[in-house]
Amino acid sequence: MGGAARGVGEGRGRGGGGRRWRAVMAAGDGDVKLGTLGSGSESSNDGGSESPGGAGAAAEGGGWAAAALALLTGGGEMLLNVALVALMLLGAYRLWVRWGRRGLGAGAGAGEESPAASLPRMKKRDFSLEQLRQYDGSRNPRILLAVNGKVFDVTKGSKFYGPAGPYGIFAGRDASRGLATFCLDKDALRDEYDDLSDLNAVQMESVREWEMQFKEKYDYVGRLLKPGEEPSEYTDEEDTKDHNKQD
């Protein structure tokens, strides 16, 4: 009988441990099985019996632990979701800063008139070097330059020939030598009249080609005067005729 009682007690102990393990596993899944923990009396590890009240207390403690674990698990997932949403919003903001502002800047610039659009067409006249230098885009919004003795209004090409343009060095100056020698330094500019007599045949041919290109694209407004040369008088009819040819 004593052996049988011990066997039954051990069996109950093993059975109680199995039930407690199932309960813990269930609690880990977020489903607290209080009925399993509180069903009848169970044997303790030393073979003694636990009262139903003690089992209920253990079940209640296990329930709180499971609830806390579930809360921590759910809270971690929530924090992860919040972090992912924050990263997505940050990425969207950076894209807006990078591309949205560009679009706004382009829209603002599209509504502004270029200097050429706001200036009337220049009447035909001749220029000395000193007069030509006044039209460099900084002292005067109109930009002129000379090529092979011809003066052109390049205001509509201000992004190239304006003060901040890559060829701004030619604004208000005789650009013939610089264009012929492909030089953008101040050495290509002369403060006095440049007759280009030291250029070779290939360079002079390049000057004439540049002259033709400027005639096709920009308004021809007059001649660059040699020292002591008097300016020509142009009638309105001649001025209109020249402009019609260019149009």
Side-chain angles (χ1 to χ4, degrees), residues 44-198:
S44 63
N45 292 335
D46 58 358
S49 298
E50 295 180 355
S51 64
E60 184 178 358
W64 281 109
L69 180 61
L71 180 62
L72 289 174
T73 303
E77 293 178 356
M78 182 174 67
L79 289 176
L80 179 60
N81 290 335
V82 170
L84 290 175
V85 171
L87 287 175
M88 292 175 62
L89 291 175
L90 180 60
Y93 173 75
R94 288 183 175 177
L95 286 175
W96 180 85
V97 169
R98 184 174 181 180
W99 300 107
R101 290 183 179 178
R102 290 186 181 184
L104 290 175
E112 298 176 358
E113 289 188 345
S114 65
S118 61
L119 293 174
R121 174 168 276 177
M122 194 173 193
K123 290 187 176 182
K124 193 173 182 181
R125 51 165 288 194
D126 296 336
F127 299 83
S128 65
L129 282 173
E130 291 75 17
Q131 291 171 335
L132 182 62
R133 287 173 189 163
Q134 298 175 8
Y135 299 93
D136 60 357
S138 58
R139 290 172 287 185
N140 191 312
R142 195 183 297 274
I143 304 173
L144 306 180
L145 62 78
V147 180
N148 200 26
K150 309 293 191 304
V151 179
F152 299 94
D153 186 347
V154 296
T155 308
K156 66 181 180 180
S158 58
K159 64 180 179 180
F160 299 108
Y161 301 103
Y167 309 113
I169 192 174
F170 296 144
R173 306 297 294 264
D174 182 1
S176 304
R177 183 175 294 273
L179 294 173
T181 58
F182 301 100
C183 180
L184 298 177
D185 298 331
K186 290 184 178 180
D187 296 338
L189 303 176
R190 301 289 176 87
D191 292 330
E192 66 280 356
Y193 182 83
D194 190 359
D195 61 6
L196 309 177
S197 58
D198 60 328

